[in-house]
Amino acid sequence: MSAQGAEVTIVRYGAPWCRSCRTIGPQLQALAVERWPEATFYELSLVRNGKAAGERMFRHYKARGVVSMPFFEVFVGAELVDTLDARTLELRSGDRL
């Protein structure tokens, strides 16, 4: 739980065919665990097989602002408090990993 008592949730966006998801994704997840040890993790995976499903997931990723993978969103309760973009390795809050 966070200082306010709300649950911390981290959503990881990736894809099984994404090379950086396989190479730096685990390292970024380990950093996220260090920063938010009490967090619950969920993973959304963009798939290629199944055209309709893939197109819906791609639209969802785009709507969430995912421009590179892996991409992490950090929620405290229902509030989005931070993001981690693999391109810059910067948190939305301005902190750098």
Side-chain angles (χ1 to χ4, degrees):
M1 298 284 168
S2 72
Q4 302 85 16
E7 186 173 328
V8 177
T9 304
I10 299 177
V11 179
R12 176 181 171 180
Y13 294 83
W17 44 263
C18 168
R19 175 173 271 178
S20 61
C21 295
R22 293 190 312 266
T23 56
I24 66 169
Q27 296 166 359
L28 294 178
Q29 186 157 342
L31 289 171
V33 168
E34 283 179 27
R35 186 174 182 116
W36 299 282
E38 71 283 358
T40 302
F41 278 84
Y42 295 94
E43 185 166 348
L44 291 175
S45 188
L46 183 62
V47 296
R48 282 189 174 162
N49 42 340
K51 184 177 179 186
E55 288 173 358
R56 282 192 302 275
M57 285 299 292
F58 177 74
R59 284 194 305 271
H60 177 74
Y61 274 39
K62 191 173 179 180
R64 299 298 303 166
V66 177
V67 294
S68 68
M69 294 186 287
F71 184 84
F72 293 81
E73 289 181 324
V74 181
F75 294 87
V76 175
E79 181 183 355
L80 177 64
V81 296
D82 225 335
T83 59
L84 173 59
D85 186 339
R87 291 178 307 155
T88 61
L89 296 182
E90 287 184 359
L91 296 164
R92 185 183 70 177
S93 63
D95 293 343
R96 190 159 172 83
L97 295 177

